[in-house]
């Protein structure tokens, strides 16, 4: 404050000798400017703060909404509904989480479908096997009752015993086949594998079945290469050929059954072709299923169980090969088997 009552800012600059230059300016204007600057600073800080708060709120709200959608999905999954998904937005961590959640829901949905399929197959299997067991058991029970009530006399008793034995054998065959199929399907059957000539095995089977073929006036012809080799379990591969030839004989009334085998490109081929009743496209697809029979009423009287071809398929699969059928109704069927030879 100087003697005129004004606030001044004084700057003293030293000069030569003992002199100094004094500069004085009133402070009021500077103070005004500083005050104004303070207000501007305060205002802009407030606006920035407001903007930052608004942005944070928007960001938090966005995240919140995305997390809420994911929580909702998690709740649906917990309730057993795996069919829904969440939208994947952007490329951040939350988007990754959403993607993982969607993938998890898809995997659970697939597992659920698989479990349903397994459940249906199990129910169908139980229904089929109960039906198959019921037929011989009912028959045995009827025969036993006839014996107990002394309704059968003399020679007929022998016939009753024969029928009971036949039904019992059928029961044992059924149970054994189902157990074998299951063991093979689960990969629990140990098979001794070796390379051996296939042709003599087929000739042997044809020799055994010739009587049956002659009875029906059907020619059983074996062809292909007599030197054919096959790699696998001899008993099981014999069973494959027997089942196919037996079927061909069962479902052919006239003509011929031609069995052919050969080696080609490190593989063994076997075909069994007949001139029998043939199959439609749907039947051709289903015949490898357990217990499937085109004509179940016929099977009840002839004692067929519908297990022969599922056994063939399972054995061929356990040898790393494949089986298929080419057929047309009324024109016969050709079963084709391909087996790998050991390298
Ligand atoms: N060569 C064929 N020609 C026409 N139909 C066939 C032939 N082979 C099989 N089938 C049909 O496929 C069904 C299933 O055959 P599969 O050998 O599995 O059972 P199955 O012969 O009825 O009974 P199983 O062999 O257990 O005694 C048969 O019931 C038959 O209807
Ligand atoms: Mg059969």
């Amino acid at each position: 404050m100087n003697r005129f009552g004004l606030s001044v800012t004084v700057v003293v600059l030293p000069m030569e000798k003992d002199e100094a230059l004094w500069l004085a300016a009133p402070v009021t204007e500077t103070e005004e400017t500083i005050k104004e600057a303070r207000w501007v600073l305060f205002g802009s800080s407030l606006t920035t703060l407001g903007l930052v708060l608004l942005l944070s709120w928007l960001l938090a709200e966005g995240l919140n909404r995305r997390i809420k959608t994911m929580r909702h999905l998690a709740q649906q999954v917990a309730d057993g509904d795996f069919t829904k998904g969440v939208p994947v937005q952007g490329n951040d961590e939350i988007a990754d989480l959403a993607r993982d959640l969607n993938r998890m829901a898809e995997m659970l949905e697939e597992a659920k479908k698989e479990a349903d399929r397994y459940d249906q197959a199990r129910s169908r299997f139980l229904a089929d096997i109960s039906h198959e067991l019921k037929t011989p058991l009912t028959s045995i029970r009827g025969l036993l009752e006839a014996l107990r009530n002394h309704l059968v006399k003399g020679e007929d008793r022998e016939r009753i015993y024969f029928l009971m034995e036949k039904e019992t054998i059928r029961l044992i065959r059924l149970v054994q086949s189902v157990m074998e199929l299951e063991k093979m399907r689960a990969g629990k059957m140990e098979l001794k594998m070796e390379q051996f000539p296939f042709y003599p095995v087929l000739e042997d089977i044809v020799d055994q079945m010739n009587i049956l073929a002659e009875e029906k006036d059907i020619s059983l012809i074996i062809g292909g290469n007599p030197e054919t080799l096959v790699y696998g379990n001899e008993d099981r591969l014999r069973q494959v050929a027997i089942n196919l030839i037996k079927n061909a004989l069962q479902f052919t009334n006239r003509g011929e059954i031609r069995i052919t085998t050969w080696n080609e490109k490190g593989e063994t081929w076997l075909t069994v072709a007949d001139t029998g009743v043939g199959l439609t496209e749907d039947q051709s697809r289903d015949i490898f299923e357990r217990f499937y029979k085109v004509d179940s009423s016929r099977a009840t009287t002839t004692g067929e169980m519908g297990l022969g071809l599922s056994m063939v398929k399972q054995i061929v699969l356990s040898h790393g090969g494949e089986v298929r059928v080419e057929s047309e109704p009324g024109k016969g069927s050709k079963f084709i088997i391909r087996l790998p030879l050991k390298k």
Side-chain angles (χ1 to χ4, degrees):
M1 180 91 67
N2 66 5
R3 57 193 157 112
F4 304 108
L6 279 173
S7 293
V8 287
T9 306
V10 180
V11 178
V12 183
L13 295 170
M15 305 291 284
E16 281 180 11
K17 295 179 189 159
D18 290 336
E19 291 171 354
L21 177 67
W22 286 63
L23 294 171
V27 177
T28 344
E29 268 180 39
T30 321
E31 273 180 346
E32 283 299 310
T33 315
I34 290 173
K35 255 188 208 157
E36 265 174 36
R38 262 199 210 126
W39 276 113
V40 170
L41 202 66
F42 179 66
S44 55
S45 305
L46 216 61
T47 318
T48 314
L49 187 68
L51 276 174
V52 167
L53 281 175
L54 184 70
L55 269 176
S56 319
W57 181 81
L58 282 174
L59 204 68
E61 193 52 27
L63 280 178
N64 204 12
R65 213 178 39 244
R66 288 162 77 190
I67 288 172
K68 249 189 196 163
T69 327
M70 282 190 262
R71 267 192 58 204
H72 186 60
L73 175 76
Q75 188 56 50
Q76 280 174 325
V77 167
D79 292 342
D81 180 5
F82 312 126
T83 55
K84 310 275 176 358
V86 283
V88 181
Q89 295 165 353
N91 234 341
D92 53 8
E93 298 272 306
I94 306 263
D96 284 348
L97 184 61
R99 240 176 252 120
D100 288 348
L101 265 178
N102 286 346
R103 216 158 52 87
M104 183 189 77
E106 274 169 31
M107 280 163 68
L108 285 171
E109 174 65 9
E110 201 35 60
K112 188 173 163 233
K113 277 189 192 154
E114 183 65 39
D116 288 347
R117 275 196 293 271
Y118 176 77
D119 218 39
Q120 277 171 14
R122 198 173 131 264
S123 305
R124 206 177 55 225
F125 172 69
L126 284 176
D128 285 341
I129 194 150
S130 310
H131 176 78
E132 292 299 324
L133 286 170
K134 216 173 105 193
T135 316
L137 283 173
T138 311
S139 167
I140 292 172
R141 190 174 162 213
L143 293 167
L144 268 175
E145 264 175 25
L147 280 178
R148 202 178 56 197
N149 298 335
H150 308 288
L151 297 173
V152 203
K153 303 255 164 1
E155 269 182 25
D156 283 347
R157 290 177 80 90
E158 286 303 312
R159 171 134 185 83
I160 295 275
Y161 287 132
F162 169 75
L163 285 175
M164 278 171 56
E165 192 183 11
K166 201 175 129 212
E167 292 298 348
T168 312
I169 290 171
R170 181 167 143 81
L171 268 177
I172 294 170
R173 209 181 108 214
L174 171 69
V175 174
Q176 270 176 353
S177 301
V178 170
M179 277 166 58
E180 275 184 10
L181 267 173
E182 203 39 44
K183 255 180 149 180
M184 247 187 287
R185 203 187 54 78
K188 286 186 185 152
M189 182 161 302
E190 290 227 348
L191 297 175
K192 192 174 152 267
M193 310 279 269
E194 59 191 345
Q195 187 161 291
F196 60 92
F198 204 19
Y199 207 85
V201 174
L202 298 175
E203 278 180 324
D204 195 29
I205 299 169
V206 167
D207 278 349
Q208 285 171 30
M209 300 221 172
N210 244 331
I211 308 167
L212 222 75
E214 277 163 15
E215 269 174 23
K216 289 185 88 175
D217 204 17
I218 295 167
S219 336
L220 260 183
I221 306 155
I222 177 163
N225 185 350
E227 307 296 319
T228 304
L229 292 172
V230 70
Y231 177 76
N233 182 276
E234 187 171 336
D235 288 343
R236 292 294 165 188
L237 293 181
R238 182 181 282 269
Q239 194 181 357
V240 165
I242 290 176
N243 284 1
L244 290 183
I245 299 169
K246 228 179 178 177
N247 278 351
L249 275 168
Q250 257 159 3
F251 301 101
T252 304
N253 296 320
R254 74 182 85 87
E256 61 172 44
I257 294 164
R258 194 173 283 272
I259 302 135
T260 318
T261 190
W262 71 98
N263 287 123
E264 195 181 315
K265 293 181 188 156
E267 289 175 329
T268 307
W269 291 80
L270 168 71
T271 61
V272 177
D274 63 50
T275 51
V277 294
L279 297 153
T280 64
E281 221 172 283
D282 283 355
Q283 290 163 353
S284 298
R285 194 195 52 231
D286 294 338
I287 51 170
F288 296 100
E289 295 284 321
R290 263 186 313 207
F291 299 116
Y292 179 85
K293 296 152 231 161
V294 170
D295 182 355
S296 20
S297 57
R298 174 205 142 108
T300 315
T301 45
T302 51
E304 289 140 18
M305 298 186 297
L307 286 175
L309 285 177
S310 39
M311 193 68 98
V312 165
K313 185 174 174 183
Q314 208 49 252
I315 294 172
V316 170
L317 286 181
S318 66
H319 280 70
E322 62 177 20
V323 55
R324 64 189 165 88
V325 62
E326 287 172 1
S327 187
E328 232 182 284
K331 293 204 173 151
S333 314
K334 185 180 188 179
F335 286 81
I336 304 159
I337 287 179
R338 185 183 59 77
L339 294 163
L341 264 178
K342 202 186 174 191
K343 295 262 165 351

